Every structure is written in structure tokens, then in C-alpha cells.
């Protein structure tokens, strides 16, 4: 769903797009309103006109850990307990749980991979953006394509980390957009 493109727009419209209850006392100065509007967090408030025609993609906080082995992995992996992802499901991605979002680094197959617990019902390319939480600006981004043989979304492979969303472990804010 997208907020109305033309006036009038209400806080109920914004709350629906942000997937919060309409009675949640949402205010224009809320960080999620600023993120939806694409406005720097240091700005005091946004106006309803800033929120017209906005669509909230998937937003998540992810803790990444680095593990060794045949290839060095960095990211979130539910099966092995590496890191965490909040929320791991969202209506934007069909309410299907993301079970793996990570990359292989320092190896011949530098890439980013995303796995769902089951079929989310779409095959769009996905753009993953790492977000600066102070300004909501994009720090890094990669595009993932669907691979039918594996049921995964993967970036291109590279000899360097060009196609990996992460280069170091830590806690990050991500946005995932369907292209």
C-alpha cells in the first residue's frame, strides 16, 4: 500500500503504511515518519505533504557475525544462530520469514545471498541498502536476483567485496526494495 499521492492525507494513512495501529499516537516527528519521508533524522518534524505517495519497503535491524571455515561468512543465519534480524517477517515481502541474509567474503565467491523460509510469491530483483541511521542516507547497496535452481536471491559474484552488503560485522539498519 502507498500513502495517498494527493491531499488529503491523514495520520491514519501514515500509520497504515508504517504498519502501526492507528491509535498508536504516531506523531510527525517519529523517526519512522522521517524515514518514510526520506528526511534526515535531525530535522525536527515532517509535514503530511512530505509523506504523500510514499511506500514503506522492508526495514530491519540486523546484527551480523563473522565466521570462518572453507569460506568466511558474515551476516545473519537463523540455522546456525549467527546474528539476529528484527523483524524477520514483513507484509512487504509476503510475510515470509527471512532465514538467511549474508555474504561470503575473502573468498572467490564474494556475494550477498538472501533465503526465505518458504516461497514469498514473487521473483522481483531485490535491492538491499545499508542505511546510515543518523541521516537515513544509503551507505552501501547491492541488487539481488532470483536463482530458480536454489530458490535464493543472490548478487553477482566478485573477486572483491563490491557485491557484498557487509564488509565488517556489527549492527546495521537495512532496507529491502522490490525492483
Amino acid at each position: 500500500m502507498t500513502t495517498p499521492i494527493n491531499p488529503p492525507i491523514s495520520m491514519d494513512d501514515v500509520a497504515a503504511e508504517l504498519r502501526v495501529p492507528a491509535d498508536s499516537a504516531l506523531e510527525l516527528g517519529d523517526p519512522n515518519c522521517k524515514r518514510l519521508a526520506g528526511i534526515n533524522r535531525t530535522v525536527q518534524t515532517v509535514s503530511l505533504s512530505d509523506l504523500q505517495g510514499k511506500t514503506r519497503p522492508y526495514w530491519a535491524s540486523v546484527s551480523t557475525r563473522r565466521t570462518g571455515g572453507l569460506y568466511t561468512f558474515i551476516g545473519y543465519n537463523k540455522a546456525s544462530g549467527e546474528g539476529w534480524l528484527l523483524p524477520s517477517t514483513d507484509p512487504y515481502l509476503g510475510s515470509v520469514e527471512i532465514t538467511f541474509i549474508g555474504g561470503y567474503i575473502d573468498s572467490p565467491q564474494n556475494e550477498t545471498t538472501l533465503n526465505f523460509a518458504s516461497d514469498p510469491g514473487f521473483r522481483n530483483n531485490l535491492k538491499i541498502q545499508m542505511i546510515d541511521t543518523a541521516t537515513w542516507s544509503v551507505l552501501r547497496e547491492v541488487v539481488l536476483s532470483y536463482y530458480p535452481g536454489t530458490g535464493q536471491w543472490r548478487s553477482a559474484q566478485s573477486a572483491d567485496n563490491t557485491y557484498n552488503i557487509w564488509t565488517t560485522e556489527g549492527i546495521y539498519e537495512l532496507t529491502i526494495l522490490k525492483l
Side-chain angles (χ1 to χ4, degrees), residues 60-110:
S61 295
V62 62
S63 165
T64 64
R65 289 204 316 205
R66 188 176 184 138
T67 58
L70 182 60
Y71 300 111
T72 302
F73 164 80
I74 187 168
Y76 158 73
N77 184 344
K78 181 181 178 183
S80 66
E82 302 299 332
W84 46 258
L85 182 67
L86 295 174
S88 61
T89 62
D90 191 281
Y92 182 79
L93 297 177
S95 297
V96 177
E97 181 181 27
I98 295 172
T99 57
F100 179 98
I101 182 169
Y104 297 96
I105 60 175
D106 305 327
S107 72
Q109 70 178 73
N110 289 295

Side-chain angles (χ1 to χ4, degrees), residues 37-174:
I39 291 177
N40 189 311
R41 285 180 71 171
T42 59
V43 172
Q44 292 298 314
T45 188
V46 299
S47 69
L48 284 173
S49 63
D50 293 326
L51 295 164
Q52 287 176 208
K54 301 294 182 173
T55 301
R56 178 192 176 275
Y58 170 78
W59 296 339
S61 295
V62 62
S63 165
T64 64
R65 289 204 316 205
R66 188 176 184 138
T67 58
L70 182 60
Y71 300 111
T72 302
F73 164 80
I74 187 168
Y76 158 73
N77 184 344
K78 181 181 178 183
S80 66
E82 302 299 332
W84 46 258
L85 182 67
L86 295 174
S88 61
T89 62
D90 191 281
Y92 182 79
L93 297 177
S95 297
V96 177
E97 181 181 27
I98 295 172
T99 57
F100 179 98
I101 182 169
Y104 297 96
I105 60 175
D106 305 327
S107 72
Q109 70 178 73
N110 289 295
E111 66 181 4
T112 300
T113 303
L114 182 146
N115 296 356
F116 290 96
S118 59
D119 189 340
F122 62 86
R123 299 292 179 262
N124 303 57
N125 282 353
L126 299 171
K127 181 185 288 185
I128 299 180
Q129 299 175 324
M130 181 184 291
I131 303 297
D132 179 336
T133 57
T135 63
W136 299 132
S137 60
V138 176
L139 297 173
R140 289 176 68 87
E141 66 182 22
V142 296
V143 174
L144 310 181
S145 298
Y146 179 71
Y147 285 81
T150 61
Q152 299 174 320
W153 275 259
R154 295 191 321 236
S155 68
Q157 295 181 349
S158 173
D160 58 24
N161 280 317
T162 308
Y163 294 104
N164 198 332
I165 195 69
W166 292 293
T167 56
T168 58
E169 60 185 299
I171 299 174
Y172 303 98
E173 290 289 321
L174 297 183

